[in-house]
Amino acid sequence: MNESESNDCEYTVFAGGDSCFFSSVAFPLTAALEEELRGDDSVKKTKKLPDFLHVDSRPQADASVIIGGVVGIFMFFTSWLGKKVLDEIYEAKFRPAIKRALGEVDNNMSKEKKRSLTMLQVGVSYDDKRVFILIGIVGYTFSEILASEHMLASVHRNAVEWIENNSFAEPILLYIINHGNVNVEPIRFDSLIHADRYIRTIEFEC
């Protein structure tokens, strides 16, 4: 495999929430990404996920659920690229569409929806290491979320250093950015389903 092939990226858009959240957030983001990435042969959309990344995206009726909606971009790489992914690939190929699409969401959301916590997730999967770095940014509005979006690269760099210096069995490494604060060490899970349940029920201080 040559360097360009190892740098090729597959991605998918993940969303969890009700029909209003899908129409206001997930669909516009998907369309913006497809427009931004049209003609870029190094990035391909996929619906195939590794088994350990399967997650239930149905609306949650449990009264304990704190997060009302989750939208995410999951990127998949064959080989370990370390710090390069968010420093170069995410910022060049994904960030413009994310900021453009989500920057318009607040104007289209109802007041009721704005009172529900929301999360933007960016996930990076490496097949050869069987590890998935998941970074979530929480806020009541997407303006709040995008105000912390610049932290993604530094959090990912910290995650890469942690992976290279630690032994661990769990494939999911979770970091949560909450109004400028983030956990130093990853919260580890055996599957994305378990991580999703944790995210949806944790009580955030906002």
Side-chain angles (χ1 to χ4, degrees):
M1 178 180 294
N2 60 42
E3 183 178 356
S4 64
E5 288 174 334
S6 66
N7 289 351
D8 285 352
C9 171
E10 292 187 336
Y11 81 96
T12 191
V13 178
F14 165 79
D18 60 18
S19 59
C20 177
F21 188 83
F22 272 81
S23 61
S24 299
V25 181
F27 295 158
L29 177 58
T30 300
L33 284 167
E34 290 177 350
E35 179 181 354
E36 183 75 24
L37 299 171
R38 186 177 294 118
D40 189 339
D41 294 334
S42 68
V43 182
K44 298 178 181 178
K45 191 175 181 181
T46 182
K47 293 183 179 180
K48 294 179 62 178
L49 303 181
D51 289 341
F52 68 93
L53 293 184
H54 286 173
V55 66
D56 189 352
S57 62
R58 294 172 297 180
Q60 305 292 314
D62 192 329
S64 65
V65 169
I66 304 298
I67 296 289
V70 177
V71 65
I73 309 297
F74 294 171
M75 296 173 282
F76 308 97
F77 298 91
T78 301
S79 302
W80 177 247
L81 298 179
K83 300 175 183 178
K84 180 177 181 178
V85 172
L86 261 70
D87 285 349
E88 298 181 19
I89 297 173
Y90 167 80
E91 293 194 5
K93 300 178 183 292
F94 292 91
R95 189 181 198 187
I98 290 173
K99 298 198 75 170
R100 183 171 67 251
L102 298 186
E104 300 175 355
V105 166
D106 289 342
N107 293 331
N108 300 324
M109 296 285 281
S110 66
K111 292 182 179 179
E112 290 75 14
K113 284 295 177 186
K114 289 180 182 179
R115 288 198 291 266
S116 298
L117 278 173
T118 304
M119 178 176 282
L120 168 65
Q121 296 180 352
V122 173
V124 185
S125 173
Y126 299 100
D127 286 351
D128 58 348
K129 285 188 176 290
R130 198 175 181 273
V131 66
F132 184 72
I133 301 170
L134 179 61
I135 306 171
I137 309 175
V138 66
Y140 281 104
T141 67
F142 279 98
S143 295
E144 291 180 2
I145 288 172
L146 291 177
S148 296
E149 187 268 349
H150 68 280
M151 295 178 63
L152 285 171
S154 62
V155 174
H156 181 264
R157 286 194 293 271
N158 290 339
V160 168
E161 291 179 2
W162 190 91
I163 290 169
E164 292 176 341
N165 290 284
N166 290 274
S167 298
F168 56 97
E170 303 88 345
I172 312 297
L173 307 181
L174 172 65
Y175 294 83
I176 297 177
I177 301 171
N178 182 7
H179 290 79
N181 299 311
V182 62
N183 46 300
V184 176
E185 293 196 355
I187 307 167
R188 307 195 298 271
F189 298 92
D190 291 327
S191 73
L192 193 55
I193 292 177
H194 295 150
D196 182 66
R197 289 173 182 167
Y198 173 84
I199 288 168
R200 288 179 177 275
T201 56
I202 187 174
E203 293 189 12
F204 294 98
E205 294 183 5
C206 294

